[in-house]
Amino acid sequence: MFNNINNALDWLQNKKKKTKREDLKRITTLAELLNVKNNNFKIIHIAGTNGKGSTAMYFTNMLMDLGFKVGSFTSPYIIKFNERITINNEYISDFDLLKLINDIYPIICDYEAKNDDLVPFFEILVLIAFQYFKQNQIDYLVLECGLGGRLDATNFVIPKLSIITSIGYDHQNSLGEDILDIAYHKAGIIKENGVCFTISNPLTNQYILAEAKKLKAKLFILDDISLEAKEDKGTSFIYDGFNFHTPLYGLYQANNAALMIAGIKYLFPDLDYNIINKSLQKAFIPARFEKINNYILDGAHNISAIKELVRTLKELQITDLICIYTSLKDKKYPDMIPILDEIVESYIFPTFNDIRSVEAKEFSKYTNKNYQVVDSLEEAFNLVNTKPCLITGSLHFVSECRKLLIY
């Protein structure tokens, strides 16, 4: 048992996988043991390569505006660990998180001893979140997958809606190198006789259609609205003949918002579009095309996200930037850096203290632009001074930069 939150989080975050998850038996068994498998709250389950966080935020704000008590489970965090678990956008307190970790600790230890198994961090976190939401009697849960979908620890639920955002290349070591391999995992959140909304992707539409048909699920494939969206102090777009706007930059935000609009209208057919549009105006996500002074912070960390980031910057005529960049070892940075070259004047590659990070000098192999390798983030910021600068490559990296810029 733990006396303070730091010790409790150390235990939780150091719970590693024993083997790669091959089914959902363990999380389902533990959910039943903890009596959180079947709940009174309705669930909106979100999978996808990019856009999960934005789409989850849009749903959360809209359901709150309709007067519901809304839980949200997201991953990863940007500012504080507690932001993964929220009710009505309020982070779980250290007090509640510590209590729940202490409550679950002996149950996890007993299960591991009896089954000669290890329960990994993310599964425990999911169970803690469900305990919290059940105790607080929420109405809706907006539930974001951690990785993939089919074998994700969140996928023991029966949702009211399944939402699949954009599908692209990321986590290939876990999900497969082929786009249809990745789609296989994302489509795994579609449930028998369920309802699913997704954005059109010519590479994956037929596969997802076949999966939905096999499960006798209702599938709604929305057009790629980003193709007609406009940058206008955020993102403006037309859906179902109505003009919508979100203050978030990035043409892809049109698709993320449209998924919420379509899903909410399915749940509440008489809801007026003006009310939905008003809710969209409250949108904010740190480190997603966030502007802080002369810096643009964006956690793009895979090829499709980098392409969308570059497309957005070009639309806004923001080019010739200094770019502070790093990436993690499992990412396709040799392919991402040349894409960034289209809008970057020069790079700063700082040393980033993370066990998963790449040696800073390595990035220079993949660009013809000028670059400097530095030992710290502070040194990188001093080199930028007041010049326009993009910070990208990793959500964890961008969040650390954000802390220094704000605090």
Side-chain angles (χ1 to χ4, degrees), residues 72-142:
S72 181
F73 179 82
T74 58
S75 173
Y77 69 93
I78 299 298
I79 301 169
K80 186 178 181 180
F81 182 93
N82 306 48
E83 74 189 63
R84 293 171 178 266
I85 302 171
T86 69
I87 294 178
N88 285 0
N89 285 333
E90 292 289 330
Y91 302 168
I92 185 173
S93 68
D94 284 349
F95 177 85
D96 286 332
L97 186 54
L98 177 60
K99 182 180 183 304
L100 286 165
I101 292 174
N102 278 328
D103 287 345
I104 204 171
Y105 177 78
I107 297 169
I108 296 299
C109 291
D110 184 62
Y111 175 88
E112 291 178 338
K114 288 179 178 178
N115 294 275
D116 187 28
D117 194 9
L118 293 176
V119 185
F121 157 75
F122 192 70
E123 291 184 22
I124 300 173
L125 184 63
V126 169
L127 294 167
I128 288 170
F130 271 75
Q131 287 181 298
Y132 183 64
F133 296 138
K134 184 171 185 176
Q135 290 172 7
N136 284 276
Q137 299 181 320
I138 62 171
D139 302 309
Y140 276 89
L141 168 59
V142 180

Side-chain angles (χ1 to χ4, degrees), residues 43-229:
I43 296 174
I44 295 170
H45 198 194
I46 303 175
T49 304
N50 296 305
K52 295 190 298 294
S54 300
T55 305
M57 178 267 304
Y58 289 132
F59 269 108
T60 298
N61 288 347
M62 186 72 255
L63 289 165
M64 284 174 56
D65 287 346
L66 293 176
F68 294 107
K69 190 173 185 180
V70 186
S72 181
F73 179 82
T74 58
S75 173
Y77 69 93
I78 299 298
I79 301 169
K80 186 178 181 180
F81 182 93
N82 306 48
E83 74 189 63
R84 293 171 178 266
I85 302 171
T86 69
I87 294 178
N88 285 0
N89 285 333
E90 292 289 330
Y91 302 168
I92 185 173
S93 68
D94 284 349
F95 177 85
D96 286 332
L97 186 54
L98 177 60
K99 182 180 183 304
L100 286 165
I101 292 174
N102 278 328
D103 287 345
I104 204 171
Y105 177 78
I107 297 169
I108 296 299
C109 291
D110 184 62
Y111 175 88
E112 291 178 338
K114 288 179 178 178
N115 294 275
D116 187 28
D117 194 9
L118 293 176
V119 185
F121 157 75
F122 192 70
E123 291 184 22
I124 300 173
L125 184 63
V126 169
L127 294 167
I128 288 170
F130 271 75
Q131 287 181 298
Y132 183 64
F133 296 138
K134 184 171 185 176
Q135 290 172 7
N136 284 276
Q137 299 181 320
I138 62 171
D139 302 309
Y140 276 89
L141 168 59
V142 180
L143 179 64
E144 182 183 329
C145 285
L147 189 154
R150 190 174 298 273
L151 295 176
D152 189 74
T154 62
N155 202 29
F156 66 90
V157 302
I158 303 298
K160 191 76 174 175
L161 297 179
S162 298
I163 308 292
I164 302 174
T165 64
S166 68
I167 298 176
Y169 292 98
D170 199 6
H171 300 293
Q172 288 98 315
N173 57 333
S174 298
L175 305 182
E177 291 290 339
D178 188 85
I179 193 70
L180 293 183
D181 292 334
I182 297 171
Y184 164 81
H185 285 276
K186 308 302 182 185
I189 69 166
I190 302 174
K191 298 299 189 293
E192 189 169 1
N193 298 312
V195 179
C196 179
F197 290 85
T198 189
I199 289 293
S200 180
N201 181 335
L203 298 176
T204 59
N205 283 347
Q206 290 304 313
Y207 178 82
I208 294 177
L209 273 167
E211 285 291 291
K213 185 177 181 180
K214 184 168 63 178
L215 293 166
K216 298 179 181 178
K218 293 181 181 177
L219 177 66
F220 299 89
I221 299 179
L222 309 186
D223 292 336
D224 185 352
I225 297 164
S226 72
L227 297 173
E228 303 296 331

Side-chain angles (χ1 to χ4, degrees), residues 145-385:
C145 285
L147 189 154
R150 190 174 298 273
L151 295 176
D152 189 74
T154 62
N155 202 29
F156 66 90
V157 302
I158 303 298
K160 191 76 174 175
L161 297 179
S162 298
I163 308 292
I164 302 174
T165 64
S166 68
I167 298 176
Y169 292 98
D170 199 6
H171 300 293
Q172 288 98 315
N173 57 333
S174 298
L175 305 182
E177 291 290 339
D178 188 85
I179 193 70
L180 293 183
D181 292 334
I182 297 171
Y184 164 81
H185 285 276
K186 308 302 182 185
I189 69 166
I190 302 174
K191 298 299 189 293
E192 189 169 1
N193 298 312
V195 179
C196 179
F197 290 85
T198 189
I199 289 293
S200 180
N201 181 335
L203 298 176
T204 59
N205 283 347
Q206 290 304 313
Y207 178 82
I208 294 177
L209 273 167
E211 285 291 291
K213 185 177 181 180
K214 184 168 63 178
L215 293 166
K216 298 179 181 178
K218 293 181 181 177
L219 177 66
F220 299 89
I221 299 179
L222 309 186
D223 292 336
D224 185 352
I225 297 164
S226 72
L227 297 173
E228 303 296 331
K230 305 292 182 185
E231 299 284 354
D232 179 21
K233 295 183 179 178
T235 305
S236 298
F237 61 98
I238 297 173
Y239 175 81
D240 194 24
F242 191 92
N243 290 298
F244 288 95
H245 178 267
T246 169
L248 297 188
Y249 284 91
L251 299 176
Y252 50 86
Q253 289 298 343
N255 289 337
N256 299 337
L259 285 168
M260 182 277 285
I261 297 164
I264 284 292
K265 284 291 284 184
Y266 181 87
L267 297 174
F268 307 98
D270 297 329
L271 187 61
D272 190 279
Y273 277 154
N274 286 294
I275 294 174
I276 297 176
N277 198 34
K278 186 176 180 181
S279 182
L280 286 178
Q281 307 315 307
K282 300 176 182 178
F284 171 73
I285 298 186
R288 265 78 164 190
F289 211 95
E290 181 183 8
K291 296 181 178 181
I292 301 177
N293 300 323
N294 54 306
Y295 293 90
I296 296 173
L297 287 72
D298 195 282
H301 55 276
N302 54 56
I303 293 171
S304 53
I306 289 289
K307 284 181 177 178
E308 289 294 345
L309 172 60
V310 168
R311 180 164 74 125
T312 297
L313 289 165
K314 285 182 175 179
E315 284 282 332
L316 294 170
Q317 298 182 335
I318 301 174
T319 57
D320 300 324
L321 292 161
I322 296 173
C323 180
I324 300 176
Y325 181 90
T326 197
S327 183
L328 304 183
K329 292 175 182 175
D330 63 336
K331 303 303 179 183
K332 301 286 187 180
Y333 55 86
D335 298 318
M336 289 191 278
I337 292 172
I339 298 169
L340 285 169
D341 279 357
E342 297 176 29
I343 48 87
V344 169
E345 178 184 80
S346 63
Y347 289 94
I348 301 173
F349 300 128
T351 296
F352 183 51
N353 294 320
D354 186 294
I355 194 169
R356 301 166 298 163
S357 64
V358 178
E359 185 180 354
K361 179 72 174 177
E362 171 71 11
F363 301 122
S364 65
K365 298 177 182 177
Y366 306 103
T367 180
N368 292 319
K369 303 284 186 175
N370 293 328
Y371 68 89
Q372 295 184 72
V373 176
V374 297
D375 292 329
S376 67
L377 295 178
E378 290 85 354
E379 188 177 349
F381 294 151
N382 288 335
L383 288 172
V384 170
N385 199 1

